[in-house]
Amino acid sequence: MGSSDSNRREDSVKGEKKLYYHGLIEQKRIDISKLKVLSIILAVAGLAVILIAAQSAQAPLAKVGDVYGNYLMNYAVVRVEGNVSEVPSVSESGGKLSIIFSVNDGTGSLDVRVYSPVAERMIREGKIPMPGDRVEAEVQLRVRETYTYGILNYLGGLKFIGKAYSPNPERVSSLDKSLSHRYVMVEGMVEDSREVSRGLLFDVDTGGGKVTVLLPKVLYVLSGKPNVTAGDSVSVAGIVYLYRGSSPELVVRNLSEVRVKRLEAREVPLSEVASHEGEVIETTGRLGRISYDPGTKEYLVALTDGSNVTAVASREVLSGIDPLKAGTGSEVRAVGKVVGGKIKATKFEVVKPVPPRISKVSELTSSELGKIVVVEGNVVDVTSIGSNLKLTLSDGSGKIAVFIPSPVVSELGDEVSKIKPGLGLRVAGYLTEYRGSLEIVPYTGAGVVTYGEPVGGSGGSAAHTATYTKLSELSSASGTVKLRVKWLGVYYSKPNYLIEVSDGSGTANLSIKRSLIPNPLKAGTGSELEVTYDADAKEVTGVEVVSGVASPKLQTGEVSTGYLGKTVVVEGVVRGVYQGSTFVKLTIDDGSGELTVFIPKSVAGDKTFSEGQTVKVGGYVTEYRGSVEVVPYRGDGIILEG
C-alpha cells in the first residue's frame, strides 16, 4: 500500500515537470553556502581597499578663521598650517600629561592639545613645537561656545615645515624686538633663578646687558628640573620670543643647549673690590643699611670695614641674612660679580652675627633708616594691598606701620591667618619711610613671628584657653565673645561678606571683612574655626583656623550649583578678559569646559590679566543670571602663572 502511494507521488512530480518545464533539461543544484563564503571574502576585500584608500587620503587643509566657532566643524578632522605663536604649556593634571601649543595661520590662532601617551612620545622624540616654528598639524576639532581647539591624536599628524634653529647661533649680549624668532646664544653669569608656571626662569648678566632665559617646563617634565642657580656661569642657545608681545626673552628648545659651569670665587678684601671689575669674588664686611630700588626691583646692601661697598641683591639672596639673628653690624660674606664697582651678589653668608635687640616703637627715629630693627606688639589693623599686607603694630609705647611684601606673605603660609587685630606679632626688617611715616619692611618670612594670642597673654594657645559662646546664645551676648564653629559657606552681602557657620547648637551667618576670611588656597569650607566676634557691633573681628580642610580642586567644567557658597580651587588658561569699572571678569578653561571667574578690582589689586595666561584661583561659588561663577575674595587667592 505504502509503496504504491510513493510511486504515484513520483509519477505526479514527473508529470508536473513535463507540464511546466517542457523542453528544459533539469539543472544540477547550486551549493548556496559557497556563495555566502565568496560574498564575505569580497566584502572584506572591499573594506580593505576602502581602508587603504582612507589612510592614504589626507584630511582637508583648513583656515583657522573658517573653522573657529563653526559648530558644523565640531569633531571634524582637518589640517592646519601656520607658525607656532606661544611657548608650549604642559600639565600633569590627574596624573596624565598634556601639552598645548598654538598655531597661527594669519586668519586666527588655534590651540592644539596633545594628551598621553602621544605627549610623552612628543617629548622623548624631541618633536616639541616652539615659537617661530612653522608646522602642519592634523587635528580633530572641538568647537565650544567661545573657544575652539584641536586634538593631535597621533604624532605622525605633526609635520615641521620650518624650525627656528641654527647649529651655529649668533652670540649676542642683549635682546630686542628686532631679534624676534632668531636663534641666538648668550653667555654670562646667572643672577637669580625662579620657578614659574612656564618653567625655570633666570636672568643672565652678559656684561653688555641682562638677558632673561626660559627653560620651558615641557622640556624637563619627564626628566627633572636642571640645576641652574645664581652665580653659575652659563652658555645658552635658544629662540628669541616676545613675552606678552613686548618683552624679549630667550626660550631654550633643547636642554643640550644649556651649559652650566660652577665658578670659583676669588677672595679679596673689601677695600680692593673696585679693582676686580668683571670678576667673581667673595669679600667680607659689616652689614650696614638696606634699601630697595623699585626701578630694578633689587635691594641695595651696604657693607663696610673702613671701606664702603654696595652689594646689589635679589630678595632671595638677601634672605640669606636672618634679621632676627643677624642685625646691623653683623659680619657677612658676600659672593658675586663686580659690576660698576658694586657687587652683584649671588649669596650672603653670616660669619659673625650681632643679634638685634627688640626696640620700643617710641625709640625709632629717621636716624635708624635702613637699619634692621625688631619690634614686638599687638596688631591693631590689617589691610590687603593686592597680594601684600599692610598692618599697624602697637607695643604700648606707640604705633608703627609694617609692610609685608607678597613673596613674604607666601612664605608665611598658614601663619598669615594669625596676623589679625588683637593678636601678638614680632617683626624684624629694615626701617624705611613711606609718605612721611616710619615703616618696617620684613624681606623674609623668617622675620615675622606670629603668636596666635595677645602679647603678654597667658602663654597658652588661645584656641585652648578660651571660653566659647554657643551660636544659640549669640543673640543675647554682649561684648567680645569666642566661637568654635564649623565653616559651612561664604556669601557676599554689601559692603562685607557673610560666613555661614554651625556648632551643633545651631547655625548663623556672621558679617565679616574679606581680609579676615581664610585664604581658600590654604583652608576652605568644612574647616573648624575659632572666631572672635563683637556681639555689640555684630561683626567678626578675628578668625583662626583650628583644623583646616582643603578646598576641593575642581576642573573648570565641574563647577556647578551644587557647590554654591562653598570654596573651591580652579586652574585654567585665560580665554577671555572683560574689564569692568569695578571688576575684572575672566573666562578660563582647563580643557573640561569654560568657567567665569569674577574678580572685584579691590581683590585684583595691581594684578593684570591677559589671554593665554594660566591662572589658579581660590574662591567661593556663586550664581549670576543662571550661570555659575567662582569669586576670589582675597588677593593671595589668585596666582598668575605665566
Side-chain angles (χ1 to χ4, degrees):
M1 179 78 177
S3 176
S4 62
D5 288 341
S6 177
N7 291 334
R8 278 196 296 270
R9 280 195 297 272
E10 286 183 15
D11 292 340
S12 175
V13 170
K14 290 178 180 179
E16 289 177 3
K17 287 182 177 181
K18 289 180 180 180
L19 179 63
Y20 294 104
Y21 302 99
H22 181 69
L24 296 178
I25 300 173
E26 186 176 357
Q27 302 294 313
K28 186 178 180 181
R29 287 187 177 183
I30 298 175
D31 191 346
I32 299 298
S33 62
K34 292 182 180 179
L35 285 176
K36 290 179 180 179
V37 172
L38 179 61
S39 64
I40 291 172
I41 292 173
L42 291 174
V44 170
L47 286 174
V49 170
I50 293 171
L51 181 60
I52 292 170
Q55 288 178 334
S56 61
Q58 282 191 316
L61 185 65
K63 294 292 186 182
V64 173
D66 293 335
V67 301
Y68 207 99
N70 186 346
Y71 287 103
L72 296 177
M73 298 299 291
N74 196 22
Y75 292 99
V77 176
V78 300
R79 288 180 298 128
V80 292
E81 180 185 322
N83 297 320
V84 178
S85 54
E86 304 286 344
V87 177
S89 62
V90 62
S91 171
E92 296 177 275
S93 178
K96 293 185 178 181
L97 197 67
S98 63
I99 298 170
I100 301 177
F101 64 93
S102 297
V103 177
N104 191 310
D105 66 355
T107 68
S109 186
L110 181 75
D111 282 352
V112 178
R113 296 172 179 257
V114 190
Y115 298 108
S116 295
V118 181
E120 284 86 351
R121 280 193 59 202
M122 175 179 280
I123 294 172
R124 291 193 180 98
E125 296 182 20
K127 296 181 178 179
I128 304 170
M130 288 292 180
D133 290 349
R134 188 166 185 83
V135 299
E136 179 189 286
E138 184 176 289
V139 299
Q140 187 178 54
L141 295 173
R142 295 289 191 273
V143 182
R144 302 293 181 255
E145 185 175 351
T146 58
Y147 177 50
T148 300
Y149 63 94
I151 299 175
L152 184 75
N153 287 313
Y154 68 109
L155 197 54
L158 176 67
K159 297 178 181 178
F160 287 84
I161 299 171
K163 275 191 177 184
Y165 174 76
S166 171
N168 300 300
E170 174 189 0
R171 180 177 172 178
V172 299
S173 58
S174 61
L175 303 180
D176 57 46
K177 293 182 180 180
S178 67
L179 294 173
S180 179
H181 293 159
R182 294 265 295 278
Y183 201 78
V184 301
M185 180 183 70
V186 299
E187 293 181 343
M189 188 181 74
V190 177
E191 290 192 342
D192 58 47
S193 62
R194 61 268 189 201
E195 186 83 14
V196 297
S197 64
R198 297 182 299 147
L200 181 66
L201 202 66
F202 56 90
D203 295 323
V204 177
D205 184 352
T206 65
K210 183 186 291 187
V211 173
T212 298
V213 178
L214 175 70
L215 275 176
K217 185 178 180 180
V218 68
L219 295 180
Y220 60 80
V221 66
L222 298 180
S223 58
K225 183 175 65 176
N227 184 19
V228 180
T229 57
D232 290 343
S233 174
V234 295
S235 171
V236 184
I239 308 150
V240 180
Y241 166 69
L242 299 183
Y243 178 58
R244 294 186 178 176
S246 60
S247 301
E249 63 184 28
L250 195 68
V251 176
V252 178
R253 76 172 306 143
N254 193 309
L255 292 181
S256 65
E257 298 288 346
V258 181
R259 298 174 179 84
V260 181
K261 180 181 179 182
R262 305 279 183 261
L263 290 181
E264 293 295 327
R266 180 180 179 183
E267 187 169 1
V268 302
L270 197 67
S271 59
E272 298 179 9
V273 167
S275 63
H276 290 272
E277 183 72 18
E279 296 180 27
V280 176
I281 58 99
E282 67 175 61
T283 189
T284 304
R286 293 189 305 277
L287 181 63
R289 299 179 189 268
I290 300 171
S291 61
Y292 180 71
D293 183 348
T296 62
K297 296 183 179 181
E298 293 177 310
Y299 291 86
L300 306 178
V301 182
L303 299 176
T304 180
D305 68 351
S307 301
N308 296 308
V309 173
T310 298
V312 182
S314 65
R315 190 196 68 82
E316 291 78 11
V317 172
L318 182 58
S319 295
I321 302 173
D322 185 337
L324 279 174
K325 297 178 180 178
T328 305
S330 298
E331 188 175 331
V332 298
R333 179 178 292 113
V335 180
K337 186 176 183 179
V338 181
V339 180
K342 298 177 181 179
I343 303 171
K344 297 284 286 185
T346 59
K347 181 181 180 182
F348 280 124
E349 180 182 0
V350 177
V351 178
K352 191 179 294 183
V354 176
R357 67 181 182 86
I358 298 177
S359 300
K360 293 289 186 182
V361 171
S362 59
E363 298 174 347
L364 300 177
T365 66
S366 57
S367 64
E368 305 291 310
L369 291 177
K371 292 185 178 181
I372 289 178
V373 297
V374 182
V375 171
E376 184 175 271
N378 293 314
V379 177
V380 177
D381 55 53
V382 183
T383 304
S384 294
I385 304 175
S387 52
N388 309 302
L389 285 182
K390 187 164 186 175
L391 56 97
T392 302
L393 197 66
S394 173
D395 68 352
S397 73
K399 297 178 181 178
I400 191 167
V402 177
F403 181 81
I404 306 179
S406 58
V408 179
V409 173
S410 298
E411 285 182 16
L412 291 172
D414 293 337
E415 293 299 301
V416 172
S417 64
K418 298 178 183 178
I419 302 177
K420 56 188 178 182
L423 298 185
L425 196 68
R426 179 179 292 187
V427 176
Y430 64 92
L431 188 67
T432 186
E433 198 170 35
Y434 180 71
R435 293 182 178 178
S437 298
L438 295 178
E439 186 174 80
I440 300 173
V441 180
Y443 53 82
T444 170
V448 180
V449 179
T450 60
Y451 294 132
E453 61 183 0
V455 172
S458 63
S461 169
H464 293 103
T465 60
T467 300
Y468 299 105
T469 298
K470 293 182 179 179
L471 289 176
S472 59
E473 303 169 349
L474 196 58
S475 60
S476 60
S478 62
T480 300
V481 298
K482 293 282 188 179
L483 307 170
R484 189 72 170 267
V485 295
K486 182 179 180 180
W487 183 17
L488 301 180
V490 57
Y491 310 93
Y492 180 65
S493 179
K494 191 175 182 179
N496 290 325
Y497 286 77
L498 296 176
I499 54 171
E500 183 182 6
V501 295
S502 71
D503 66 356
S505 73
T507 62
N509 289 310
L510 308 179
S511 179
I512 186 173
K513 293 180 179 178
R514 62 178 174 82
S515 60
L516 296 177
I517 308 175
N519 182 346
L521 294 178
K522 305 292 184 181
T525 46
S527 298
E528 187 177 357
L529 308 177
E530 182 187 85
V531 175
T532 304
Y533 186 74
D534 186 334
D536 297 325
K538 298 188 183 305
E539 68 176 6
V540 174
T541 58
V543 174
E544 181 177 353
V545 178
V546 178
S547 178
V549 173
S551 301
K553 185 172 183 181
L554 304 180
Q555 290 186 311
T556 54
E558 286 184 309
V559 183
S560 66
T561 54
Y563 292 95
L564 290 178
K566 306 300 182 185
T567 61
V568 299
V569 177
V570 292
E571 184 174 4
V573 178
V574 177
R575 297 304 175 196
V577 181
Y578 177 80
Q579 294 280 354
S581 59
T582 60
F583 65 89
V584 180
K585 187 177 285 191
L586 307 180
T587 301
I588 69 171
D589 188 357
D590 64 2
S592 64
E594 292 186 346
L595 173 69
T596 297
V597 176
F598 180 91
I599 309 174
K601 282 286 181 68
S602 57
V603 174
D606 58 0
K607 291 184 174 68
T608 58
F609 305 92
S610 59
E611 293 187 18
Q613 283 180 314
T614 297
V615 61
K616 183 177 183 180
V617 176
Y620 68 97
V621 179
T622 186
E623 189 174 21
Y624 180 72
R625 293 183 177 178
S627 298
V628 292
E629 297 179 340
V630 171
V631 181
Y633 48 81
R634 293 173 56 125
D636 54 5
I638 306 170
I639 299 176
L640 294 176
E641 302 178 338

